[in-house]
Amino acid sequence: MPFPSRGLRPALAGLALVTVAVSGCGSSTTVETVTAGASGAETVSSDAQVTADSGFRVAANGFSFANYGNEKSPANLDAATMQSLFGDEVCARTDGGTCSLTAVAKAFMNFANGTMGDGHCFGMAALASLMHQGTVDPATYGAATVAQLSDTAAVQQAVARYFTTQMTPNVQSTETGQTVKEVIDTLTQGWARGEGYILGISAADDTGGHAITPTALATRPDGTVEIRVYDNNFPGVERVVLADPAADTWQYATAANPATDPKPYVGSPTNRMVLTPVSAVTGPQQCPVCEEQSGRTLVMVTDRSHDLPVDVEITAPDGEPPVDLQKLESLSDSDSTWVSVGTSGRFVVSLQAGDGPQADDVDIAVLGSGYVRQASDVKMAPGQQSTMIIDPGADRFTWQSTGDGAPTLSASGENGAVSYSFAAGLDALAPNTPVTVGSDPAAGTASVSVGTDAAAAQQVALAVERTDATSDGTLTITYPDLGGGQTLTMDYGRWDGNSAGPISATLATPGQPDQPVNLTG
């Protein structure tokens, strides 16, 4: 089923979905200016009557610094932050209280950090609210008030921690699109009992979104309602989402730079606001990639270069949609498509590039209970189609593309206290040649195979990472000539973690006896 945006475009053709919100944000250096489409819509009106107030004051309770992306290499998630968020189950070991992540948890962490490249708005909105409520003490980070905090590494890691909660079942289960009247009622009643909220808004054409902090409600003489907000793109400025309960519409203006050309964020019955209760982001979260979880599979596609429109489609192998899909609506990162898949059967993730002057860079991650499958640095030329065939119950996946070359394909998994990550990079791959990569931690094997129609033998760059209760090990290998129809299977279960190897392997060629191979770094 197709999913459409300025970069990635999710198209949901005729299928009813449960939609929850995911915010990647436009940061102070990347978000486009947007306008409400009516003069004064983004400013507080002197004749509006306040009807509900959270007590949050932008000048005192908002951060003094603006929303940011990854352009200055902020301190995002690390092993300690992952442990505080998900508990010890993400740790292969905790020597002296220090967490060493499992290979699967590390793959999730790296991908999550990458999604923060277009901003940290959800994390900033959540942390500011928690500090206002007293759940988190700003003194922990070196200041008496939120406004006095600077963007230190400790503050940045806290922001990253709360940003990541939007990827967890705990938070996703609380998020629903609401009518304007429902938003007003929820805020009024929630503030009365001390609950805080994160407000998610999206552009009607799927080209962006944002997470902000609602602070008060005020009714204008014409019946429209000001949802007054702290927008972390604009430190120190109280702004307004102007809502019309009768028409069930809303409008807002946000920008990285108020002097740039505006673009509207306009809401309607088909483009709802989304409220997330701040209480949902507190405490340990359910790990989306740890074993013994819900059984759902999370597909995350991120456009890193924004050079082409790319349609994302998720179907069953026969082209029909899987039975159970939940689209996680990106509130501000138009270049991400996240979909939760509830089927235990095989499904296909397809990318279709549109027209443009140059290739686009796309990353795909598929996260399930105890495993991660990734295609990294996918080069999507104009008109190119690429597919990733996933079987949640199997230990391998298949990549195929109409374009030249291949991305880095990786698979991470766990076997009790031992976890592995296996990556394969092919130097040159003819169009429409399938590549299958697998990692079976229970058997202790990893494999890469090339379709029989491969035009030439492939040089394959292999990397294996092993993490257990006592140590970590990484081995990188170059295998010079993997031919069409051949499968190289590595017995990493017998590898001791030495960075020089060796790892025993087997080369399987159709119609010939298997050949033993020793691989060394």
Side-chain angles (χ1 to χ4, degrees):
M1 63 172 293
F3 287 90
S5 74
R6 183 182 59 233
L8 296 177
R9 305 191 302 189
L12 307 176
L15 183 65
L17 293 177
V18 178
T19 300
V20 295
V22 174
S23 175
C25 324
S27 73
S28 61
T29 59
T30 61
V31 72
E32 295 185 16
T33 306
V34 292
T35 185
S39 61
E42 58 287 286
T43 59
V44 174
S45 172
S46 60
D47 58 359
Q49 188 70 36
V50 174
T51 58
D53 193 338
S54 70
F56 188 109
R57 297 295 176 262
V58 173
N61 303 121
F63 292 104
S64 62
F65 54 90
N67 180 28
Y68 55 93
N70 288 339
E71 61 280 348
K72 294 184 179 180
S73 301
N76 289 326
L77 297 177
D78 62 6
T81 314
M82 287 282 290
Q83 184 183 22
S84 73
L85 185 58
F86 298 118
D88 288 347
E89 64 182 331
V90 297
C91 306
R93 61 183 183 280
T94 53
D95 295 336
T98 300
C99 173
S100 293
L101 294 175
T102 67
V104 174
K106 186 180 295 184
F108 171 79
M109 178 188 73
N110 291 338
F111 197 89
N113 283 338
T115 66
M116 301 177 202
D118 281 333
H120 293 70
C121 60
F122 189 94
M124 293 184 70
L127 184 56
S129 291
L130 290 171
M131 288 183 171
H132 167 245
Q133 291 180 330
T135 305
V136 177
D137 187 352
T140 304
Y141 302 93
T145 67
V146 178
Q148 294 172 345
L149 289 170
S150 58
D151 54 346
T152 63
V155 170
Q156 290 172 350
Q157 286 184 325
V159 168
R161 180 195 192 280
Y162 291 110
F163 174 97
T164 307
T165 60
Q166 64 185 307
M167 305 178 193
T168 69
N170 310 59
V171 172
Q172 292 170 4
S173 65
T174 69
E175 295 177 326
T176 55
Q178 297 188 6
T179 67
V180 168
K181 186 178 185 305
E182 288 170 342
V183 167
I184 292 170
D185 290 345
T186 298
L187 291 175
T188 301
Q189 296 166 16
W191 287 340
R193 62 176 185 270
E195 180 65 271
Y197 292 91
I198 301 159
L199 178 63
I201 55 173
S202 297
D205 60 359
D206 260 347
T207 58
H210 199 32
I212 50 186
T213 306
T215 64
L217 300 172
T219 301
R220 292 183 175 181
D222 63 0
T224 58
V225 176
E226 297 177 0
I227 304 175
R228 298 179 180 177
V229 299
Y230 157 58
D231 184 336
N232 43 68
N233 280 342
F234 293 91
V237 180
E238 186 173 55
R239 296 173 64 79
V240 168
V241 175
L242 186 60
D244 186 339
D248 194 20
T249 59
W250 56 266
Q251 52 191 17
Y252 185 59
T254 187
N257 180 350
T260 55
D261 291 337
K263 177 180 178 177
Y265 274 31
V266 178
S268 67
T270 59
N271 184 29
R272 303 285 194 198
M273 291 180 281
V274 176
L275 285 176
T276 303
V278 174
S279 57
V281 309
T282 61
Q285 300 286 306
Q286 183 179 349
C287 171
V289 295
C290 297
E291 294 183 306
E292 308 301 330
Q293 297 302 326
S294 66
R296 299 191 68 86
T297 301
L298 179 61
V299 178
M300 306 167 71
V301 184
T302 299
D303 183 347
R304 295 193 290 111
S305 62
H306 325 309
D307 293 319
L308 287 178
V310 178
D311 289 335
V312 181
E313 185 174 23
I314 298 178
T315 66
D318 61 2
E320 294 298 316
V323 174
D324 181 7
L325 295 182
Q326 294 180 358
K327 180 175 179 280
L328 311 184
E329 184 67 35
S330 174
L331 296 180
S332 59
D333 184 7
S334 64
D335 305 301
S336 286
T337 295
W338 296 5
V339 181
S340 177
V341 184
T343 180
S344 60
R346 292 200 311 160
F347 62 91
V348 180
V349 181
S350 300
L351 307 182
Q352 176 67 58
D355 296 328
Q358 58 190 20
D360 209 42
D361 292 331
V362 177
D363 293 335
I364 307 172
V366 179
L367 308 116
S369 297
Y371 71 86
V372 176
R373 309 284 184 254
Q374 289 180 267
S376 305
D377 197 22
V378 179
K379 303 295 185 185
M380 294 292 293
Q384 179 175 325
Q385 183 178 33
S386 300
T387 60
M388 191 171 177
I389 303 174
I390 301 294
D391 186 344
D395 59 4
R396 65 196 66 239
F397 69 94
T398 298
W399 173 266
Q400 191 168 7
S401 178
T402 60
D404 293 322
T408 298
L409 306 174
S410 60
S412 303
E414 301 175 355
N415 181 27
V418 184
S419 61
Y420 297 94
S421 181
F422 172 67
L426 289 82
D427 63 341
L429 196 66
N432 299 309
T433 302
V435 178
T436 300
V437 171
S439 178
D440 184 352
T445 59
S447 63
V448 55
S449 61
V450 179
T452 56
D453 51 353
Q458 304 293 308
Q459 177 174 287
V460 186
L462 304 171
V464 182
E465 182 177 340
R466 182 184 192 274
T467 303
D468 61 25
T470 60
S471 63
D472 299 332
T474 302
L475 177 64
T476 57
I477 307 159
T478 298
Y479 188 78
D481 53 357
L482 185 65
Q486 291 185 321
T487 300
L488 181 67
T489 302
M490 306 169 61
D491 189 3
Y492 62 50
R494 297 185 183 183
W495 173 48
D496 62 4
N498 188 308
S499 61
I503 293 182
S504 60
T506 301
L507 181 66
T509 304
Q512 299 182 22
D514 292 351
Q515 300 177 11
V517 179
N518 272 333
L519 302 175
T520 57

